Amino acid sequence: LRRHYRLQPGIGFGSGPTGTLRSSLRPGVTVPIAPLLPSPASLAASSGPPPPPPPLQLHSLYGGVGAGLGPGAAGHCNPGNPAVLKEAVEAVVRSFAKHTQGYGRVNVVEALQEFWQMKLTRGADLRNGALVVYEMVPSNSPPYVCYVSLPGGSCFGSFQFCPTKAEARRSAAKIALMNSVFNEHPSRRITADFIEKSVSEALASFNGNREEADNPNTGIGAFRFMLESNKGKSMLEFQELMTVFQLLHWNGSLKAMRERQCSRQEVLAHYSHRALDDDMRTQMAADWVNREQSVAGTIAQELASTERELEDARLAGRELRFYKEKKDILMLAVGQLKLVLHSLKCS
């Protein structure tokens, strides 16, 4: 029970007056937090876990921005070239339509749903079924924005200027379909060869030694442990898992667990098998409420930064769940804060 308690985000044996992690976390902390996962910028220096990789790339997991999964992979999703991104998306959609429905105009919304339904019937492990979920951003005028969440949890958004809600829905479906199709390619699987190559490149980049790679308590060792634990999975599946650790790092939970003497391996093993759920979101939101109560404006500042990140990533055609979850947690914190203020007024 004590081990489970130590591994909860937002709960711990802090040094604050109430003895909780929430009271001991400093609001607005921006100094580097020693992570339990390797960082692309500094595996050896132990900064935070890696940011989410753009579609078709794995460079942010271990190397520099220029490294991709294969020839031309980075160019398809170059955020600096919207025309290239649009062309790549349209090409994949046309190809998918040709091989599954014959020639002619394809309904991408139906095609995306059929793709995941096909995966489910072929034995894919989709715990929550094959339903693709769309979410429109409330707006009374264009441009309209739509997000789509895939059955595994990955999220994409409309990446073009959309004059109608229907067009926004189609735009989101297109980028999601492209990534779903590419994710089936063998090069997108985590294999033994891929792990060895990735670890070797990480060691070379940060002047590490082979002993570090075999020790799960080092940054590179934790990186290897994560990859080994996900052998056989696709990059999209791996990214869904990484989102949990990115949120724990962003919230300060990884630092708190380290202060409770939790090892990297212990945290990795625990959260590798735990899905992001409402309980975790609520605990993180409560941490931001406490930060706001200590320093007014903390949530508004973080929310503004998160919304900019989400917008930039959406227009670049990147996977969005990390940014979207951050925004949702902060909005949940706003709601919690209103309830706290209301209860204070009534008391």
Side-chain angles (χ1 to χ4, degrees), residues 74-140:
H76 286 306
C77 295
N78 181 0
N81 193 337
V84 173
L85 174 61
K86 182 176 183 295
E87 182 181 344
V89 172
E90 295 290 353
V92 172
V93 170
R94 287 195 301 269
S95 177
F96 181 78
K98 174 183 173 183
H99 288 92
T100 59
Q101 302 173 12
Y103 289 94
R105 184 175 177 83
V106 59
N107 184 322
V108 288
V109 174
E110 290 182 3
L112 181 62
Q113 183 60 66
E114 289 172 4
F115 176 89
W116 284 94
Q117 192 64 47
M118 177 180 65
K119 282 181 64 68
L120 182 63
T121 57
R122 292 183 178 179
D125 182 17
L126 303 177
R127 285 171 288 182
N128 298 316
L131 183 63
V132 174
V133 179
Y134 293 87
E135 177 188 345
M136 289 294 306
V137 175
S139 177
N140 294 321

Side-chain angles (χ1 to χ4, degrees), residues 255-296:
K255 180 189 178 189
M257 291 175 203
R258 183 168 56 86
E259 290 172 348
R260 294 175 221 150
Q261 285 77 52
C262 296
S263 68
R264 277 193 179 101
Q265 191 172 16
E266 187 179 14
V267 174
L268 289 172
H270 179 79
Y271 282 99
S272 292
H273 302 287
R274 181 175 176 183
L276 186 61
D277 55 23
D278 288 341
D279 181 57
M280 196 183 300
R281 294 183 185 96
T282 300
Q283 290 175 5
M284 291 185 186
D287 289 334
W288 285 97
V289 169
N290 279 277
R291 293 179 179 117
E292 178 69 26
Q293 291 176 321
S294 298
V295 179

